[in-house]
Amino acid sequence: MKRLKNKKQKAGVEVNGNGSVTREPDCGRKQKLSEINQALISDPVDIETLRRAAASKGGLLTDELRRKVWPKLLNINVYDLPHKPGRDVRENHKDFNQVVLDVTRSMKRFPKGMPASERAVLQEQMTDIILEVLKRTPQLHYYQGYHDVAVTLLLVVGERMTIAMLDTLSNHHLRDFMDPTMDSTKHILNYLMPILEQVDRELHDFMIRAEVGTIFALSWLITWYGHVLSDFKHTMRLYDFFLASHPLMPIYLAATIVLHREKEVKKTECDMAMVHHLLSRIPQDLPYELLIGQAQDLFDQYPPSLLAKRAALQPRKSLSISTFQAFQLATLHQRPDTVLQRLTKAQGSSTSRQAPRQSGLEAALPQEQGRLWGKGNRMVKMAVWGLSATLGAAVFAVAQTAMDWGPEVLLQLF
Amino acid sequence: MAESGSSVEFSGTLTSSNLPPARTRIFKIIVIGDSGVGKTCLTYRFCAGRFPEKTEATIGVDFRERLVEIDGEKIKIQLWDTAGQERFRKSMVQHYYRNVHAVVFVYDVTNAASFRSLPAWIEECKQHALGTEVPRILVGNKCDLQDSVQVGTDVAQQFADTHSMPLFETSAKNPNSQEDGGNSDHVEAIFMTVAHKLKSQKPLVLSQPPVGSGGTVNLSKGGTDGGEGSRSWGCSGGC
């Protein structure tokens, strides 16, 4: 993290040095866009820069970039994605009923203007994706809230990439939440109070006296805030941050949110119900960029190992934490997409090239998409949604030759 | 979130602008039952005064409250709406069983499995020292879906009798309720009945399970002397 921070400062200087343009934010954005694109074509991919970009102001900026960078952050080869699950994924699945129940009730996670038919298709995909990932690793257990992670990924990167990303996350960042019991999750939540103790003793003591516990932050942690934020752009921004960070970072962010509301908390009656009530309702207008920066600073200042020692946290094996270093190391050796494409092709995995074509055609709802795209500019955003979700897979097949593929390219194609 | 958010706004205004005097008694009621039986819907209905448009899975516990007046006394009713998935109740929800004054068990009349889970939920309560001495009621939800009823009233009533609980069948979402006020009052009656029951238990030491109710919590029409409640008892026939 220290290194990240240094780089961040360096980047800041570069931006300023380049500051002949009066509108600095735009200039910073342009600069950032080019840095990200440069990092993506470096060989090996410049993962440090991508991580720094994902965490720093504005995150990954656009959905198009997210589709390129998110897989890199998780060490995923976009040319070798899992296939669409078949219908048999639903057969004899122990979690089937619970998943369907939660997915059916997840309507609010979808953009407001999305036609019900399109949402229904995505919900079907969501169910299949979740069941497929669970089936791949029988040690993983579904939890309510997992579907909030799945839908966030699905809305940005499409079905097949979501399978790949969710699979990786489930075996790393989210792994502790997927034990048969929630004991490991509780253990992770236990890091929250020690952070508060370090920063604001008074607030910490107040919360201890109120016996509020930490369940108010449970849904924040296990859904990466997807369950509690109503504006999807904030959710994506936080996903940028968490995908690039240590698995405990959502807890550090929770701490900054509580600290941010310190005055409100202290004004509340010192009672479990009242404090739980206040804290569990997350304000929708939080200064996310500020809090993200603070969470990083807290992480640097009070790393998990230090907290564990100071707070005498009961030792417990956290798979998310113990596998993280190796996971991060593994991400350092990725080839850029152009190379991956060539290599994957060369490996003769013709199946992975054909499958997306097929699945794209299957899932594309040709009539509906056609109608959407026919409506011109107003519909571009919708089209992008539809595209990222239902055609995400096809993108890789259609635009294989375009280095800078994106919705715009596809819109022209259709 | 939007929906639960508005529920919060409601209870939020309650807490901030309408702060009860310091001496206001608090009745803490926990609402439990399988996933998807409508716990969130019921508690929202009671606290916000209307049905939520859509509800989402509850993760952990949600808290809602409402200030009511019973026989001239202002009482704060706190409802703890819990996650239905088993993994949450094992290690997460425990904390919220403390100092509970009453328990509402909810099942879905169109889902036999949710009814079959009730013994496990009752056992769960016992483990948290919430036995028959604590007022408990049984709510069969979604009785508006008459065509798909899987749990008959007679079976449910028998179960309720065995466990000394009154039974309510209701719907937290009845299309007719807007017009005739029928079932919407039902939800009201359920929680008000519990509140009356709690209030009638004297002396009521709020930090401890109420004493003196004996083995049987037999709430009858006469028990709901607050008025609104009385009609609700006939619901077995009505739904």
Side-chain angles (χ1 to χ4, degrees):
Chain A
M1 289 304 283
K2 290 265 151 55
R3 238 169 84 215
L4 280 184
K5 227 179 159 185
N6 292 342
K7 283 214 175 185
K8 190 164 55 185
Q9 279 154 4
K10 203 176 79 194
V13 173
E14 278 167 21
V15 171
N16 293 339
N18 209 3
S20 55
V21 189
T22 43
R23 289 186 59 203
E24 212 181 321
D26 269 348
C27 166
R29 186 185 158 93
K30 248 185 219 162
Q31 170 84 15
K32 191 170 184 179
L33 284 171
S34 87
E35 271 180 20
I36 295 172
N37 280 316
Q38 195 57 44
L40 281 167
I41 55 173
S42 303
D43 192 2
V45 171
D46 182 357
I47 204 78
E48 284 288 335
T49 295
L50 294 181
R51 277 200 202 117
R52 176 169 47 78
S56 63
K57 186 166 177 271
L60 293 171
L61 303 174
T62 69
D63 281 8
E64 190 193 340
L65 279 179
R66 287 189 172 98
R67 282 190 280 272
K68 292 179 191 170
V69 177
W70 280 8
K72 295 294 174 207
L73 294 173
L74 295 183
N75 198 12
I76 288 165
N77 178 352
V78 298
Y79 292 102
D80 191 18
L81 291 176
H83 295 287
K84 272 172 70 75
R87 297 300 290 188
D88 60 317
V89 76
R90 301 185 176 209
E91 284 164 19
N92 299 320
H93 201 297
K94 66 174 166 35
D95 294 309
F96 176 74
N97 287 333
Q98 186 71 60
V99 172
V100 169
L101 191 61
D102 294 341
V103 168
T104 310
R105 295 186 286 177
S106 67
M107 268 106 83
K108 267 190 247 118
R109 298 279 90 84
F110 296 89
K112 281 218 169 61
M114 181 180 279
S117 53
E118 192 175 347
R119 190 186 64 215
V121 171
L122 292 173
Q123 284 179 308
E124 291 297 309
Q125 291 183 357
M126 219 167 123
T127 304
D128 285 344
I129 289 165
I130 292 172
L131 295 174
E132 169 69 19
V133 174
L134 293 171
K135 212 172 192 174
R136 285 162 164 235
T137 315
Q139 298 93 303
L140 299 178
H141 297 265
Y142 175 77
Y143 62 86
Q144 290 188 293
Y146 189 67
H147 67 294
D148 288 309
V149 178
V151 72
T152 307
L153 300 178
L154 179 60
L155 287 172
V156 178
V157 301
E159 187 177 21
R160 293 179 66 212
M161 179 97 84
T162 297
I163 299 174
M165 288 185 66
L166 197 60
D167 188 53
T168 304
L169 285 175
S170 303
N171 284 290
H172 292 92
H173 300 65
L174 309 175
R175 180 62 187 82
D176 287 336
F177 318 142
M178 308 198 71
D179 276 350
T181 72
M182 300 289 276
D183 291 344
S184 296
T185 308
K186 221 161 121 186
H187 175 73
I188 300 291
L189 279 171
N190 281 343
Y191 280 86
L192 178 57
M193 294 307 286
I195 303 173
L196 296 177
E197 190 179 14
Q198 300 294 327
V199 185
D200 187 339
R201 189 74 190 232
E202 203 185 317
L203 179 65
H204 168 266
D205 293 351
F206 179 89
M207 288 174 64
I208 294 287
R209 273 203 310 282
E211 299 187 316
V212 62
T214 48
I215 306 296
F216 67 85
L218 174 66
S219 67
W220 306 356
L221 172 68
I222 65 181
T223 71
W224 280 6
Y225 298 77
H227 189 74
V228 290
L229 299 183
S230 42
D231 191 338
F232 192 63
K233 77 172 187 286
H234 294 146
T235 310
M236 287 191 294
R237 173 68 188 93
L238 291 185
Y239 272 57
D240 290 342
F241 178 42
F242 296 140
L243 285 167
S245 304
H246 188 279
L248 278 182
M249 196 54 93
I251 286 291
Y252 285 83
L253 187 72
T256 63
I257 292 174
V258 176
L259 290 164
H260 180 73
R261 305 182 69 192
E262 169 250 334
K263 285 202 180 73
E264 276 176 275
V265 176
K266 285 177 185 166
K267 256 190 266 168
T268 310
E269 194 184 332
C270 188
D271 164 78
M272 176 177 94
M274 292 302 116
V275 182
H276 174 93
H277 183 52
L278 175 77
L279 286 175
S280 61
R281 311 298 168 186
I282 206 164
Q284 295 296 316
D285 55 351
L286 287 172
Y288 293 95
E289 297 298 342
L290 178 77
L291 295 177
I292 285 171
Q294 289 174 350
Q296 274 187 306
D297 290 345
L298 281 181
F299 186 93
D300 293 344
Q301 215 175 339
Y302 311 109
S305 55
L306 182 89
L307 289 178
K309 240 184 279 166
R310 286 206 192 163
L313 286 174
Q314 289 198 336
R316 185 184 174 88
K317 179 127 176 111
S318 157
L319 286 169
S320 298
I321 299 174
S322 63
T323 62
F324 181 62
Q325 205 181 3
F327 171 74
Q328 256 199 332
L329 280 176
T331 61
L332 296 177
H333 310 292
Q334 294 177 84
R335 313 297 302 271
D337 281 350
T338 39
V339 177
L340 281 178
Q341 183 190 5
R342 210 173 50 233
L343 289 175
T344 313
K345 234 191 270 180
Q347 277 168 6
S349 58
S350 56
T351 44
S352 67
R353 266 189 68 206
Q354 297 226 316
R357 259 177 230 275
Q358 242 176 12
S359 59
L361 290 174
E362 267 169 33
L365 293 179
Q367 290 162 340
E368 286 214 13
Q369 299 291 341
R371 202 151 27 88
L372 282 178
W373 292 348
K375 286 186 188 171
N377 276 346
R378 197 172 60 81
M379 298 310 293
V380 165
K381 193 163 176 231
M382 280 308 305
V384 173
W385 285 114
L387 184 137
S388 65
T390 54
L391 278 184
V395 164
F396 299 109
V398 177
Q400 264 181 4
T401 48
M403 172 53 205
D404 285 311
W405 63 268
E408 299 79 12
V409 176
L410 266 188
L411 283 173
Q412 282 160 17
L413 286 176
F414 285 85
Chain B
M1 183 57 203
E3 158 270 314
S4 59
S6 47
S7 143
V8 174
E9 276 161 35
F10 176 84
S11 40
T13 24
L14 233 178
T15 41
S16 55
S17 65
N18 206 0
L19 253 174
R23 281 291 174 140
T24 305
R25 285 205 282 175
I26 296 168
F27 292 162
K28 180 175 168 184
I29 302 171
I30 194 165
V31 182
I32 56 181
D34 273 9
S35 200
V37 297
K39 299 179 290 296
T40 301
C41 219
L42 283 172
T43 56
Y44 183 93
R45 165 66 188 85
F46 180 72
C47 292
R50 60 191 166 81
F51 300 113
E53 280 165 46
K54 338 166 186 161
T55 56
E56 282 186 274
T58 303
I59 297 175
V61 286
D62 267 341
F63 169 85
R64 297 188 177 86
E65 70 176 351
R66 181 177 152 187
L67 198 61
V68 298
E69 198 171 311
I70 301 177
D71 303 336
E73 183 187 351
K74 283 209 164 93
I75 288 172
K76 211 199 264 182
I77 298 183
Q78 291 186 343
L79 299 181
W80 291 85
D81 173 25
T82 61
Q85 199 190 6
E86 191 174 357
R87 56 193 292 111
F88 288 101
R89 67 172 105 137
K90 284 278 151 55
S91 52
M92 290 291 168
V93 178
Q94 289 169 354
H95 190 66
Y96 299 90
Y97 274 97
R98 288 189 307 171
N99 308 334
V100 159
H101 303 116
V103 184
V104 174
F105 296 96
V106 188
Y107 69 95
D108 171 356
V109 298
T110 67
N111 176 356
S114 73
F115 184 73
R116 285 195 299 268
S117 296
L118 288 171
W121 284 111
I122 291 171
E123 187 51 37
E124 177 90 4
C125 273
K126 277 190 192 140
Q127 283 171 13
H128 292 96
L130 295 172
T132 47
E133 73 286 358
V134 173
R136 302 172 306 162
I137 62 167
L138 183 61
V139 175
N141 197 19
K142 306 192 191 177
C143 68
D144 54 308
L145 304 169
Q146 285 167 9
D147 296 341
S148 36
V149 169
Q150 290 185 3
V151 184
T153 303
D154 43 345
V155 184
Q157 188 62 57
Q158 209 177 350
F159 180 85
D161 290 345
T162 313
H163 293 274
S164 316
M165 293 188 267
L167 168 73
F168 286 86
E169 282 187 339
T170 188
S171 163
K173 189 185 184 177
N174 191 320
N176 300 324
S177 62
Q178 305 281 334
E179 296 140 39
D180 61 18
N183 265 313
S184 57
D185 281 348
H186 245 165
V187 178
E188 186 86 5
I190 290 171
F191 293 105
M192 289 306 283
T193 304
V194 181
H196 275 100
K197 178 72 190 168
L198 288 169
K199 190 173 183 296
S200 69
Q201 291 179 330
K202 294 175 187 174
L204 192 62
V205 184
L206 287 177
S207 56
Q208 285 168 9
V211 287
S213 63
T216 308
V217 180
N218 187 9
L219 295 182
S220 63
K221 277 183 187 175
T224 60
D225 52 5
E228 316 95 307
S230 51
R231 198 152 43 94
S232 65
W233 284 112
C235 68
S236 324
C239 281

